[in-house]
Amino acid sequence: MIYLTRKIEFSASHYYWNPEFTPEENRRVFGKCANRHGHGHNYVLEVTVAGEPDPVTGMVLDMKELKQILEREVMEVFDHKFINQEVSQLDGKIPTSENIACIIWTLLEGKVPGGRLHHIRLYETPDLFVDYYGGNAAR
Amino acid sequence: MIYLTRKIEFSASHYYWNPEFTPEENRRVFGKCANRHGHGHNYVLEVTVAGEPDPVTGMVLDMKELKQILEREVMEVFDHKFINQEVSQLDGKIPTSENIACIIWTLLEGKVPGGRLHHIRLYETPDLFVDYYGGNAAR
Amino acid sequence: MIYLTRKIEFSASHYYWNPEFTPEENRRVFGKCANRHGHGHNYVLEVTVAGEPDPVTGMVLDMKELKQILEREVMEVFDHKFINQEVSQLDGKIPTSENIACIIWTLLEGKVPGGRLHHIRLYETPDLFVDYYGGNAAR
Amino acid sequence: MIYLTRKIEFSASHYYWNPEFTPEENRRVFGKCANRHGHGHNYVLEVTVAGEPDPVTGMVLDMKELKQILEREVMEVFDHKFINQEVSQLDGKIPTSENIACIIWTLLEGKVPGGRLHHIRLYETPDLFVDYYGGNAAR
Amino acid sequence: MIYLTRKIEFSASHYYWNPEFTPEENRRVFGKCANRHGHGHNYVLEVTVAGEPDPVTGMVLDMKELKQILEREVMEVFDHKFINQEVSQLDGKIPTSENIACIIWTLLEGKVPGGRLHHIRLYETPDLFVDYYGGNAAR
Amino acid sequence: MIYLTRKIEFSASHYYWNPEFTPEENRRVFGKCANRHGHGHNYVLEVTVAGEPDPVTGMVLDMKELKQILEREVMEVFDHKFINQEVSQLDGKIPTSENIACIIWTLLEGKVPGGRLHHIRLYETPDLFVDYYGGNAAR
């Protein structure tokens, strides 16, 4: 079993706001992130696929095909978007890295050819990132 | 003469839109950046000060003081902000990295103790950055 | 289950010396690191917490709170310190990255709110790092 | 149990070509990588060894010894080589990162003193890497 | 005057060999780089253009246009190529980073719209790079 | 004219203390850096040499020779050392990055074959660095 990882980057903006909180509570809990004009990040996403190398190609999966899937399922949804207003998959959720990672998993699961989606890592900044291995908390 | 550089990072969102263009022209010229909801970046700013090391401290300038100036003049203006709507210094200007760098120069010039503002570099992404040496295009 | 990681950096100095070795043995086993004046590193620490995102905040834990804990439990102990002489937690131990990582685990375990300490990674240099998952060698 | 990782870098060239494919199939499947003149990469290899720190040295293993093993088993085989023509261990295999990683595992397994080879990561570019944990797909 | 820099990456292979040297001289002067099978690198190229931001767009030049020029003039020539055999611009020259940088300058000079080619930096590895400012050794 | 840069890294420790200050003044001016036990950094040094590529080798200078010079003149002096006590070249000076850079310039000037020492950059941390172009403040 080999784990193959591809890294991509997208630029998006977001803010944190829970409508059941008062404005003061939002500012206390979320700090600067509660600014409803939004602010942004260069998100870096690592997508890891597990599989056996195909003896004919030596590859776990076709990287060109993976790149197209990431373009269609992730980049078109998130890149150069204001997540709170333009990514309907996160409606009603606070667009933290935790929640974005879970949504990206859902967007990719079952679409990876020749392998199995194993892991995604999402960097919000170089100093803050989340890892997700799917619903089966197995690890 | 020694050049001392301090790097800081801020997260902000922006979009590109010239009100004298039609929407179609904006989209053609600015591409994805014309999305008026905004999108964001982790901007990385390098501020370089030129000077002679003080024989008493061995330093070109007091780094703690520089850090406070950057906090007050740059971070409070740009960090976690939607530049088009919240940074009045850029009113009427398209908030490209070129224009943001010029504004940051203006905000810092004359405020650096014990040295002379020499250069700023602003990364919009790890693959795209601008350098500015002040109005005197000298270099 | 989501794994959230925060990266911090501290500067410290250390040396390797086993008092039961002769000076020659220390130099043979530890090489340059046996210089008892000490030498230093910019250590980079990644602290990973496992948990379910809180449905009210979308977060595994309050990042501001985690930052305060890291400041108090790690930075105050190690930053700008000569580990052999100033970090009593390592008295009688050789301050290798392996041993520093175990001590940092002990300092943090049980203090992380809203989640479970899952993993720490400590970089001594960009080319040398250790990972520790706690006493339960489970992984 | 502590996991200690050492990073090294080597420069090599390769191409992808399956002799059972027609030239057209090779170009379709492998794209630019099918250029039989070869092209190259600065490969970055991370080698992770698992073990308990030795109470006498505080180390999982002697880093100087590990460095010598990596020099002899990996660098001499791969560094500044055209893999398709000069690395006999990959004869008859397409030198993808997947296959190179498996071969490096074989070259290192059983040669690591004072610990157990746990994991290797091989970066072909900063945006593309593979992880391998040995034949026992256990993880 | 603003300096705008775009970073791109290409993978290529090369070797160093002066036909007027004996094989022994080539090996002595060029070391491992004299292996005529070639070896490779992930070259990183930074291209810097100098200009005044256009008041209508806020940009020194159209980044989409610059990207196309770099694709056509640099990537098509160098990416996934064995430089000694496939880049005719370097015929009769040893493909050191010094010489590659000069050729890239020649390929780009006069083709940059809305600005002036100011500087190129070429990384052969993260630890070794060259800078070139054009024939006018001015700097 | 081409500028060739080689990057090396050394680990050292230091502290800041002016014996003409009171202990309180030292702590006020130098903060944490005034801890006389010392603390450390992984310093990264970039050394830039200017020259014309030799038509016979395609190189500004022999990289193997430069590496030996850096090993002998810089690494042997600074690597794994406590600068305040073990680097006599800095006796009576506060070992700031500014002063270390000037000393390294002195150690290297006149020893670079086939070229001219043009520039050194010294990173104390990834976020703080100094540039020095020699006594002739020319730039």
Side-chain angles (χ1 to χ4, degrees), chain A residues 12-33:
Chain A
S13 58
H14 69 168
Y15 68 94
Y16 297 166
W17 192 268
N18 184 332
E20 302 186 1
F21 287 173
T22 64
E24 290 69 31
E25 281 174 318
N26 274 295
R27 278 190 284 272
R28 185 178 45 75
V29 173
F30 297 121
K32 282 178 165 186
C33 296

Side-chain angles (χ1 to χ4, degrees), chain E residues 87-121:
Chain E
V87 178
S88 61
Q89 289 89 342
L90 280 156
D91 276 356
K93 295 201 165 186
I94 296 172
T96 55
S97 291
E98 289 91 327
N99 280 335
I100 297 173
C102 291
I103 291 296
I104 290 175
W105 182 275
T106 309
L107 292 171
L108 290 175
E109 204 179 15
K111 303 211 181 77
V112 177
R116 181 172 56 79
L117 184 62
H118 171 68
H119 169 211
I120 63 176
R121 174 173 286 189

Side-chain angles (χ1 to χ4, degrees), chain B residues 75-86:
Chain B
M75 296 302 278
E76 289 204 3
V77 174
F78 286 98
D79 191 35
H80 282 69
K81 295 290 170 62
F82 186 13
I83 298 175
N84 298 61
Q85 298 190 13
E86 300 184 273

Side-chain angles (χ1 to χ4, degrees), chain F residues 41-54:
Chain F
H41 300 290
N42 302 321
Y43 287 94
V44 176
L45 175 70
E46 294 180 357
V47 175
T48 302
V49 179
E52 296 288 343
D54 179 334

